[in-house]
Amino acid sequence: MDISNASYQYNSDGKLVKSMRVQDDSVLASLEFNYDEEGRLESYVNFIEDDYDDNYYKSVFTYTQDAIYTSSFTKKDIDDEYIENPETYKYVFSEKGDLVYYEANGPYYSDNDNNTVISTYDDNSNKISVNQFGNVEYVYIYTEYFNPEAFIYDATFGKEVYNLLGGETNAFATRETSKNVLQSVNDILKPEEEYKIEATIDEETNVATKITYEDGYQNQVIVNEFILE
C-alpha cells in the first residue's frame, strides 16, 4: 500500500491558496490558487509529476454577469513558457452554487452538435443526473445519511470552485459535494459498468464514518474514513 500525506495552506480570508501531496519526501501533486480583489478564483496551477505528459496545467477564469469562462495553458517543466490550449469552457451556476450549465469548445468537441453538460439537483443540492453532450449519462440515488466529505470540500473549496476545478468529470464526482451519502451510481450509456458504494454510519448522528467507492470501470477503490469529534 502506498501512503501519501496532504497539506493545505490558507490566506487571511480563509481561502485555500495551496495544497500539496507528498510521498517519501517527493511532491506528487500540488494545487496553487490565486484570487481577484473580489475574492473570486482568478487562476490555479495544477502540478502532477508525469514522465509522459505536461506536468503543469494552468486555468485562468473570466467572470461576466451571467457566466464564468476559462482558458487553459500547459508546460512540461517549471522554467518552460506556458502554451495556450485550444479548448475553452463556460460555466453557469445557480444562486446555491450548483452547476446548471457547462459548455466545452475546441477541437475535441467540434464534431458535437451539443457541447453542453447540464446537471439537475435535489433540494439538498445533491446532484441527481448529468446530461453530457445531449445524453443523460449518470444518474445518482442517495441515502438519508450525511456525507462528511461534502462539508470538508465545501469549507475548503466551496462548491463553485470545486466545479471549476473539474468536478463534473467522473462518475463519483459527487462524493465530494453531495450532502448525503451515495446509494448508487448508474451509467446509462454503459450499464455493464458497476459502481459499488458501502458506508459505515454512526447511529447517533446519522453521519458516515467510513465510505468505500468501487469503480468497476477504472478498477479503482477509494476508501474514506472520518473521525467524528
Side-chain angles (χ1 to χ4, degrees):
M1 179 181 295
D2 294 326
I3 298 176
S4 61
N5 296 306
S7 62
Y8 301 86
Q9 299 176 19
Y10 300 85
N11 62 18
S12 58
D13 295 325
K15 292 182 178 294
L16 182 69
V17 294
K18 187 172 184 178
S19 67
M20 183 180 299
R21 184 167 293 279
V22 178
Q23 180 178 308
D24 297 330
D25 297 325
S26 296
V27 177
L28 301 179
S30 67
L31 282 171
E32 295 188 23
F33 302 84
N34 293 294
Y35 303 90
D36 63 19
E37 294 180 352
E38 298 183 37
R40 301 174 302 188
L41 184 63
E42 187 174 51
S43 66
Y44 81 91
V45 175
N46 182 13
F47 165 78
I48 299 178
E49 184 62 47
D50 194 322
D51 294 333
Y52 301 100
D53 296 322
D54 289 330
N55 290 325
Y56 294 86
Y57 180 92
K58 179 179 181 180
S59 284
V60 178
F61 304 95
T62 301
Y63 294 81
T64 68
Q65 183 176 358
D66 301 319
I68 303 172
Y69 297 86
T70 72
S71 53
S72 62
F73 307 80
T74 57
K75 64 179 182 179
K76 179 65 176 177
D77 297 313
I78 190 170
D79 294 328
D80 294 341
E81 294 290 333
Y82 276 108
I83 299 174
E84 185 171 5
N85 295 324
E87 294 78 39
T88 59
Y89 307 93
K90 175 183 177 181
Y91 300 83
V92 178
F93 293 92
S94 70
E95 293 182 359
K96 298 173 66 176
D98 293 324
L99 182 64
V100 295
Y101 182 88
Y102 166 92
E103 182 175 320
N105 290 289
Y108 295 140
Y109 309 101
S110 60
D111 293 335
N112 292 329
D113 294 329
N114 188 334
N115 284 350
T116 62
V117 172
I118 298 176
S119 303
T120 60
Y121 299 82
D122 63 19
D123 292 338
N124 290 323
S125 298
N126 297 318
K127 187 183 299 180
I128 56 177
S129 70
V130 180
N131 184 311
Q132 300 196 76
F133 311 130
N135 297 295
V136 175
E137 186 162 349
Y138 297 120
V139 176
Y140 303 88
I141 299 175
Y142 297 87
T143 69
E144 61 182 359
Y145 306 116
F146 298 113
N147 174 22
E149 192 163 16
F151 297 97
I152 294 170
Y153 268 78
D154 192 40
T156 304
F157 297 104
K159 185 177 288 188
E160 179 178 299
V161 170
Y162 172 79
N163 278 294
L164 291 175
L165 299 180
E168 280 284 353
T169 56
N170 65 72
F172 284 142
T174 59
R175 70 184 172 84
E176 292 143 353
T177 57
S178 60
K179 293 182 179 179
N180 295 95
V181 176
L182 277 168
Q183 177 176 309
S184 63
V185 179
N186 297 316
D187 189 334
I188 303 302
L189 301 182
K190 303 171 185 176
E192 71 280 1
E193 294 180 7
E194 188 173 7
Y195 302 91
K196 297 180 180 178
I197 304 109
E198 295 182 2
T200 303
I201 308 298
D202 179 84
E203 295 182 357
E204 293 184 1
T205 61
N206 271 349
V207 176
T209 57
K210 180 179 179 180
I211 309 176
T212 301
Y213 304 92
E214 184 174 346
D215 186 335
Y217 173 65
Q218 296 186 350
N219 195 28
Q220 182 182 57
V221 178
I222 299 172
V223 181
N224 294 323
E225 295 191 61
F226 309 95
I227 299 174
L228 306 182
E229 296 182 345

